[in-house]
Amino acid sequence: MKGRPAQATPRNWVLHDYMQVNGGAERLVATIARGYPGMALGLAGVYPGFSGTGDLSGVDLRLLGRFPAWFPRIPQALLTFGQRVPCIEHADAVVYSGIYTPLAVSSQQRGRRIYYCNTPPRFAFDRLEQYVGQVPVPARVVLRSAIAAYRQGYIRAVGQMDVVVANSEHVRKRIAEQLQVEARVVYPAVDIDAFKWKSQGDYYLSLGRLEPNKRIDRVVQAFTRMPEKKLVVASGGSQLESLKRLAGGAANIVFVGWSRDEDLIDLIANALACIYIPLDEDFGMSAVEAMAAGKPVIGVAEGGMIETVLDRQTGILLPPDPDVERIAVAVREMTASLALSMRLPCEQRATNFTAKRFLDDLGSFVFG
């Protein structure tokens, strides 16, 4: 991870909760910070999952959190943005990203207030019961109360924004239902110039963090039934060890863990195709990155992926909640010749999500 030294207090800011992993939201706020003159990136913290692989070169980075390294990231973000944030008081424009930074909007006394919403916090709205159910029964009353207080503050903060921007039509509808706010849609930026077709290898690349909502377990199970097909599982996450056990040492399944940007780009560039079947994805930047490299995507017809992958043109969209057998059928269908025939449509589709288009569209709200 690289960043340039901080200097004078900037007049334009993009605030993000923290850099936890080298994911789509993290790359997006770096794009915003690089893309506009005089724009600084304010964070509560940067964590090892990002610092080992992420790139903040060319970014005016400001760490706003002042807590010891052992302090948990969520309380740190809440304390950083839930109280006075002096650096944005007289800003000309602030772009709020994440689910905790909007709480800082009351500190901003002037200038434009823009909330770029990847999703309203699922734990506070549609997945509340699922989240609360994960803690012991005695703690649930306290947790519900804490979430209710946070939700009230979040709703109040969103109401103070000059404009709310959603990263997809799917998220725009969720914002309308949950917050009763009409948002505008600006699709995220993808650095499509960084992703290029190099060759057609013999492996299928599984994208997405190794977390339950990404459903990597089903992908792994599918490949245990197809020893003739090779799977490379990119990234890391809480399920890494359990997924390795699920693979049972199968020779055709390889786990590479978190990769540096250049290594991930190379994995995509040489894959036969990519697989990404997340549950109710907000947008799905990984799918666009794969298409930019001319690689078709085996995805799922849920959430924001319907807005990115074109079924039978730039990939195969499985029905919602696909089982292991359906995934296996799609992998067998995605032959080398079919994947190659989709190369040009994939590359063309990705041009709809360039950084320039994103910065132009978002800039009309930031500076308009």
Side-chain angles (χ1 to χ4, degrees):
M1 180 195 71
K2 300 175 182 178
R4 71 178 184 228
Q7 299 175 358
T9 301
R11 301 303 298 263
N12 299 313
W13 289 85
V14 53
L15 301 183
H16 190 62
D17 300 333
Y18 39 69
M19 298 303 220
Q20 180 185 1
V21 298
N22 188 19
E26 287 80 4
R27 293 195 293 274
L28 187 70
V29 293
T31 297
I32 295 173
R34 293 188 188 103
Y36 300 129
M39 180 75 74
L41 172 60
L43 305 168
V46 178
Y47 296 91
F50 178 87
S51 58
T53 58
D55 180 18
L56 290 176
S57 58
V59 172
D60 184 356
L61 174 64
R62 310 295 178 107
L63 291 178
L64 306 180
R66 293 291 183 266
F67 299 90
W70 54 263
F71 203 78
R73 67 180 187 278
I74 293 176
Q76 181 168 343
L78 283 167
L79 289 172
T80 298
F81 299 111
Q83 57 187 351
R84 180 171 170 261
V85 182
C87 62
I88 66 169
E89 288 181 347
H90 303 291
D92 292 332
V94 180
V95 179
Y96 298 84
S97 171
I99 59 176
Y100 304 113
T101 65
L103 303 178
V105 70
S106 59
S107 295
Q108 189 180 349
Q109 299 176 12
R110 59 183 297 276
R112 298 281 292 167
R113 302 168 177 86
I114 303 94
Y115 181 30
Y116 190 84
C117 184
N118 292 298
T119 180
R122 310 299 294 272
F123 70 85
F125 292 94
D126 55 313
R127 294 184 184 170
L128 173 62
E129 295 306 319
Q130 175 185 339
Y131 186 81
V132 172
Q134 295 175 353
V135 304
V137 174
R140 292 179 185 176
V141 172
V142 175
L143 182 59
R144 281 185 187 277
S145 178
I147 292 175
Y150 161 77
R151 183 173 61 240
Q152 183 178 21
Y154 175 83
I155 292 172
R156 183 169 56 250
V158 172
Q160 294 177 257
M161 300 294 173
D162 293 312
V163 63
V164 176
V165 181
N167 69 347
S168 67
E169 180 64 23
H170 179 61
V171 169
R172 186 200 67 77
K173 292 176 181 177
R174 191 183 296 156
I175 291 170
E177 293 170 359
Q178 297 174 356
L179 304 176
Q180 289 75 55
V181 170
E182 283 301 320
R184 307 291 291 274
V185 175
V186 174
Y187 288 121
V190 176
D191 184 7
I192 65 170
D193 292 334
F195 294 86
K196 299 294 184 182
W197 195 96
K198 289 186 178 179
S199 71
Q200 187 178 67
D202 63 348
Y203 61 90
Y204 299 79
L205 182 65
S206 174
L207 301 172
R209 297 186 306 276
L210 307 188
E211 302 295 342
N213 65 311
K214 302 301 182 181
R215 301 192 284 211
I216 312 295
D217 56 334
R218 302 185 192 186
V219 177
V220 170
Q221 285 179 283
F223 277 82
T224 61
R225 301 181 183 186
M226 299 182 292
E228 76 283 5
K229 302 288 187 181
K230 184 177 179 180
L231 173 69
V232 175
V233 181
S235 77
S238 66
Q239 289 190 309
L240 177 59
E241 295 306 318
S242 64
L243 289 171
K244 286 181 177 179
R245 290 192 296 270
L246 184 63
N252 64 316
I253 302 175
V254 178
F255 294 86
V256 298
W258 289 115
S259 301
R260 295 176 303 168
D261 283 347
E262 53 265 38
D263 294 330
L264 179 61
I265 288 170
D266 195 60
L267 281 170
I268 295 173
N270 294 289
L272 190 155
C274 295
I275 305 177
Y276 191 55
I277 56 166
L279 172 65
D280 194 24
E281 182 76 334
D282 303 320
F283 173 72
M285 189 177 290
S286 295
V288 179
E289 292 173 343
M291 291 188 294
K295 306 300 178 175
V297 178
I298 297 174
V300 59
E302 294 181 23
M305 290 201 70
I306 299 173
E307 302 173 54
T308 55
V309 178
L310 301 177
D311 190 29
R312 306 293 161 173
Q313 297 179 53
T314 66
I316 297 173
L317 287 180
L318 298 167
D321 197 23
D323 60 21
V324 172
E325 184 55 36
R326 280 190 175 273
I327 297 169
V329 168
V331 170
R332 293 191 181 101
E333 183 180 351
M334 185 60 74
T335 62
S337 59
L338 179 60
L340 196 58
S341 73
M342 292 183 174
R343 175 185 170 182
L344 291 180
C346 283
E347 292 171 347
Q348 181 60 41
R349 179 62 175 165
T351 62
N352 291 315
F353 306 98
T354 62
K356 182 181 185 305
R357 177 172 293 187
F358 167 77
L359 291 169
D360 287 347
D361 291 347
L362 184 64
S364 66
F365 301 115
V366 176
F367 304 110

